Amino acid sequence: MKTPTQIRALFDRLRPVAQARAERRTRVLEAIAWPRHVEDQFFARHARELPEVEYDVDREATDARIVELQGVLRAIDGDDPITEWARANLQSMIDANRLVRSMGTTEFHRISRDLYGGSRTRFHGAGERNIDLAEHLLERLRIHGWDEATDPEVEPVPAPAFAEELRQRIARDLPGLEVDVVVDETATAKVVAGMTRVRVRAGATFTPWEAEGLWHHEVETHVLTAQNGAAQVEVPFLRAGGPRTTRTQEGLAVFTELYHHTLTVKRMERLAVRVKLVDMAEGGADFLDLYRYLLERGSAARDAYLDAQRVCRGGRVEGGAPFTKDAAYLAGLLDVNAFLAVMVRGGFRDEIELLVAGRIALEDLHALVILRRMGVLQRPSHLPVWLRRWNTLLPEFAFASFLSDLSLDALYKRQRSLIEDAASVQGPTDAPPEMPPTMRAPPLRDDHDD
């Protein structure tokens, strides 16, 4: 094991690399994003033709960057956890460049699947796959029968008001977190969060529970972990972990939605359906196949376009080579929840805090624990609400651990007659028929969740 002096010497060598990455790092999502005119043209052609997308990448500069990073990687000696962590971060930089370099090709999908997993990636060598989890959730979320009880209608919050709410809440709940919240005409998602800026899409609207979920997902997770990482002066890489950290970071963000009871049926369904879209595209479905599948499920036209483009961006609209990042959200949620179930039980509060010390993967925690004990890594500057409410975590996971051992089949049998009777109830027969989805682009307020 390296001494603290040796570790600091290693990080001194790597700090210029991390700084250069911060200044000219490869932003995968920005590089593969489709410009707005692609969407306008798609609907102008009545949504009957494949989108026409061109990717602009400086392959010569990208190749030079890859060679540079590979040289640094080869120069690192040792097989201890800290050194392995440093290598993994350098490899993640290389992989991000390789992914961007391969945009528009089948190679893009292969690299994407290696980085994020695919629809049929298995959980930790077990038999279950990402698509199995998605289909399980869609079945469990399916509504049976009809109920008179409904949610009251609420007035949606427009983008400027939501942006102002975020500014006020950041100042009140996370003082010291320096974030610029702007309304942006070019944002492709309702909310896009970087380390120091949150972009809210102009024209979007937000229900109260959606706004609450986005607060926990985007600000209390993505912004917070990035700024915590940037505050670690001695430890490079923590401000932006690259593609290798995506599964854990998105899983952590969805966990916060679930923990705070803001993960709605619609939101969970959307996360599961996106895994199915990845599966369809990996099987050869093209953009139009994905778009029409979403319309058949009841999505608005703009929602269907934006969800289909999430899967096709960077790859091939003709199918067979999708961007697989959307297969990582539910897989990451399972990872993070399982990790917390084990670690909360032992009361390992310091180790759990490291989850928000920066943009990390769960695999990094062994190295980070060592760095923390050596005094090289400091405690996170900002903690999310769920960690500040530490005493509520153990009771929740303790009860859930017993419930998971009960036989749901036996419980179902006890309530079978009630379930069958409730599922047979029919709604009013005079309800107006559902209108088919329009082929015209709806207004911006029908945008999609992140």
Side-chain angles (χ1 to χ4, degrees):
M1 179 65 68
K2 286 183 170 63
T3 66
T5 300
Q6 291 173 320
I7 289 171
R8 287 187 168 94
L10 170 64
F11 288 166
D12 284 342
R13 290 172 54 197
L14 296 176
R15 192 165 289 109
V17 178
Q19 182 61 34
R21 178 189 188 186
E23 294 173 353
R24 55 188 175 93
R25 63 191 175 98
T26 301
R27 293 177 171 86
V28 172
L29 298 185
E30 290 182 16
I32 67 176
W34 291 5
R36 181 61 184 273
H37 71 79
V38 175
E39 177 184 344
D40 295 338
Q41 185 183 66
F42 176 76
F43 285 111
R45 295 176 176 176
H46 307 291
R48 294 173 184 154
E49 300 177 22
L50 290 174
E52 296 180 2
V53 187
E54 294 182 0
Y55 298 106
D56 183 20
V57 56
D58 186 340
R59 286 185 168 80
E60 185 176 343
T62 304
D63 287 341
R65 181 65 174 152
I66 290 172
V67 170
E68 176 189 356
L69 291 169
Q70 287 174 334
V72 177
L73 182 62
R74 286 193 296 269
I76 298 178
D77 297 323
D79 56 2
D80 58 279
I82 309 299
T83 305
E84 292 296 337
W85 176 67
R87 285 201 193 96
N89 278 277
L90 285 167
Q91 186 61 54
S92 189
M93 296 184 196
I94 294 170
D95 291 338
N97 281 275
R98 290 173 56 236
L99 187 67
V100 170
R101 191 192 187 286
S102 65
M103 291 187 299
T105 70
T106 55
E107 178 70 3
F108 176 89
H109 170 242
R110 190 187 68 76
I111 298 172
S112 173
R113 189 179 56 209
D114 289 344
L115 290 172
Y116 306 106
S119 63
R120 296 175 182 259
T121 298
R122 299 184 185 276
F123 297 111
H124 307 295
E128 292 77 11
R129 308 162 299 174
N130 289 339
I131 188 64
D132 298 324
L133 174 57
E135 290 178 343
H136 170 85
L137 290 173
L138 288 172
E139 174 59 28
R140 286 301 181 94
L141 293 170
R142 188 163 58 91
I143 304 299
H144 299 270
W146 174 85
D147 292 294
E148 184 178 355
T150 59
D151 293 328
E153 291 189 12
V154 294
E155 189 70 24
V157 179
F162 174 67
E164 181 58 28
E165 285 182 13
L166 286 183
R167 296 185 193 103
Q168 293 179 9
R169 190 164 183 179
I170 290 168
R172 183 185 72 241
D173 296 346
L174 292 169
L177 200 70
E178 297 182 4
V179 188
D180 186 23
V181 182
V182 299
V183 178
D184 187 353
E185 295 278 354
T186 65
T188 56
K190 277 192 169 182
V191 179
V192 181
M195 185 175 75
T196 59
R197 187 173 66 148
V198 175
R199 293 185 293 144
V200 180
R201 179 162 176 161
T205 61
F206 304 85
T207 60
W209 49 87
E210 181 183 29
E212 186 71 10
L214 287 168
W215 162 263
H216 293 297
H217 187 112
E218 300 293 349
V219 178
E220 271 213 327
T221 302
H222 292 326
V223 174
L224 184 145
T225 56
Q227 292 210 15
N228 278 344
Q232 295 287 346
V233 178
E234 292 197 78
V235 186
F237 309 132
L238 282 181
R239 65 185 295 167
R244 63 180 293 274
T245 68
T246 295
R247 177 163 164 158
T248 297
Q249 289 303 301
E250 296 299 352
L252 181 61
V254 177
F255 166 78
T256 64
E257 295 180 64
L258 184 64
Y259 176 83
H260 290 286
H261 303 289
T262 63
L263 189 59
T264 63
V265 172
K266 181 180 178 182
R267 168 71 165 156
M268 181 67 94
E269 281 183 337
R270 205 159 196 176
L271 294 175
V273 166
R274 286 173 181 171
V275 180
K276 287 185 68 69
L277 295 179
V278 171
D279 189 54
M280 291 170 63
E282 287 183 315
D286 65 21
F287 178 91
L288 286 175
D289 294 326
L290 306 184
Y291 174 77
R292 290 165 180 163
Y293 168 77
L294 291 167
L295 291 181
E296 290 172 0
R297 286 188 55 87
S299 293
R302 187 178 298 278
D303 287 344
Y305 170 87
L306 290 170
D307 275 356
Q309 67 88 26
R310 286 178 64 98
V311 173
C312 293
R313 56 184 169 165
R316 292 175 54 81
V317 296
E318 298 85 0
F323 183 47
T324 62
K325 177 175 177 279
D326 277 324
Y329 284 65
L330 294 179
L333 172 61
L334 191 67
D335 288 346
V336 169
N337 203 73
F339 168 80
L340 289 173
V342 172
M343 299 301 286
V344 168
R345 179 181 181 182
F348 298 109
R349 188 168 181 173
D350 289 346
E351 288 72 18
I352 292 174
E353 278 193 1
L354 293 177
L355 271 180
V356 300
R359 294 280 179 89
I360 70 164
L362 284 175
E363 293 76 16
D364 300 340
L365 287 171
H366 187 192
L368 298 184
V369 166
I370 296 171
L371 291 172
R372 178 74 182 91
R373 291 173 181 169
M374 287 181 171
V376 178
L377 177 67
Q378 304 304 310
R379 289 188 63 195
S381 302
H382 307 284
L383 294 179
V385 170
W386 67 270
L387 259 177
R388 281 182 268 151
R389 296 175 180 169
W390 171 258
N391 285 331
T392 70
L393 286 175
L394 182 54
E396 181 165 331
F397 281 102
F399 185 79
S401 66
F402 184 83
L403 184 63
S404 65
D405 292 334
L406 297 179
S407 170
L408 289 181
D409 288 338
L411 296 176
Y412 177 85
K413 290 177 181 178
R414 288 184 60 187
Q415 306 296 339
R416 183 168 186 169
S417 61
L418 173 60
I419 291 171
E420 290 177 349
D421 184 59
S424 66
V425 176
Q426 300 296 314
T429 57
D430 57 349
E434 184 176 347
M435 297 298 292
T438 178
M439 300 304 287
R440 292 178 289 109
L444 282 175
R445 64 175 178 272
D446 289 324
D447 204 343
H448 73 307
D449 295 333
D450 176 40

